[in-house]
Amino acid sequence: MSMDMVVKVILAILETFIFFGFGAWAYYLKMIEDKDLGKLGRLSIDMLLPFLTFSSVVKNFTAKDIGMIWQLPLIGLGIMAFGALCGYLLVYGLHDKSPRRNGTFIHLAIANNYIFLPLVVLGNLFGTKAVAALMLLSVGSTIGFWTFGVGVLAGRDFKRVFRNVCSTNMAAIVLALIFVFSGIQVPAFGMNIFEKLGTLAVPLSLLLIGASMYKTGIRMLVHRFDAVYTLIARLVIIPFFTVLLLKLLPLEGDAAQGQEAAQPAP
């Protein structure tokens, strides 16, 4: 990796944490309250994100990209599955091995922030086509998150799984692929509106993540060893072995960029 690339990665991470900081500050000042987190989260994920997904996929993919289009969802699902395997192995390192804490650890090992955090790095490093690749990768990530990711905490509620997998963002991906493979052109005026609405999703979500981190951060200090161990496992051990595994896959171009940017993020 060149020094220029390293600087861009550092600046992208710094940008992310600046948004986190303003979100935490807004929560501290009660500009964002507990009752707002769910509503604003739904606004970002269920309404704004689908516009970003649709516009990026339609704008950056064609029918010739069929190989990448089917590979990326499988990679996303595979990353979640590998996180689950690592979680079940690493859970034995916890001091407090209560069923609830074990389940939380395994859930955190599986359920990385597979969209919003990588998006900042992707946008800064590789541009809009890699962002579109990440959206396709999120199909598999979403399926993995709502099956074995949430299942370790909430049990096997198949109606809930189906409802959350069949989200508005998933519908946006399906609709975008229909346009891609049919060759139908989206009017420029409509695409412009979709892109502007979609760009609101990322900063809003990062602010909400910062607010949530401030809200829940103090509770992590109750079991300090387990908190530190979870962070190391989540941010170092699992991503390291995930990268090693992904390097074995014969991916090139934007598919490789998409899987590299989608490593387990905090």
Side-chain angles (χ1 to χ4, degrees), residues 205-266:
S205 293
L206 295 180
L207 291 174
L208 295 176
I209 291 172
S212 298
M213 291 172 64
Y214 182 85
K215 172 187 173 183
T216 60
I218 295 178
R219 288 185 293 181
M220 293 179 61
L221 300 178
V222 176
H223 300 276
R224 293 188 179 183
F225 175 84
D226 286 351
V228 173
Y229 177 74
T230 300
L231 287 174
I232 293 173
R234 187 68 182 72
L235 302 179
V236 179
I237 299 175
I238 296 176
F240 176 76
F241 284 104
T242 303
V243 169
L244 288 182
L245 180 63
L246 289 172
K247 291 298 183 182
L248 299 176
L249 299 178
L251 300 175
E252 298 180 356
D254 296 296
Q257 292 172 5
Q259 57 91 357
E260 287 176 2
Q263 306 313 315

Side-chain angles (χ1 to χ4, degrees), residues 117-179:
L117 301 191
L119 267 178
V120 178
V121 178
L122 269 175
N124 287 7
L125 295 183
F126 303 118
T128 58
K129 187 160 187 177
V131 171
L134 182 65
M135 293 304 178
L136 291 179
L137 186 142
S138 72
V139 173
S141 302
T142 300
I143 294 173
F145 177 84
W146 288 109
T147 51
F148 40 83
V150 173
V152 296
L153 291 179
R156 296 293 189 267
D157 185 345
F158 292 105
K159 289 184 179 179
R160 181 186 182 189
V161 169
F162 182 79
R163 183 172 62 251
N164 285 290
V165 168
C166 297
S167 62
T168 53
N169 194 55
M170 197 70 76
I173 292 174
V174 173
L175 183 61
L177 291 178
I178 291 175
F179 276 83

Side-chain angles (χ1 to χ4, degrees), residues 5-19:
M5 184 72 74
V6 171
V7 172
K8 288 183 179 180
V9 170
I10 293 174
L11 291 178
I13 295 172
L14 177 61
E15 179 182 331
T16 300
F17 277 89
I18 289 174
F19 275 98

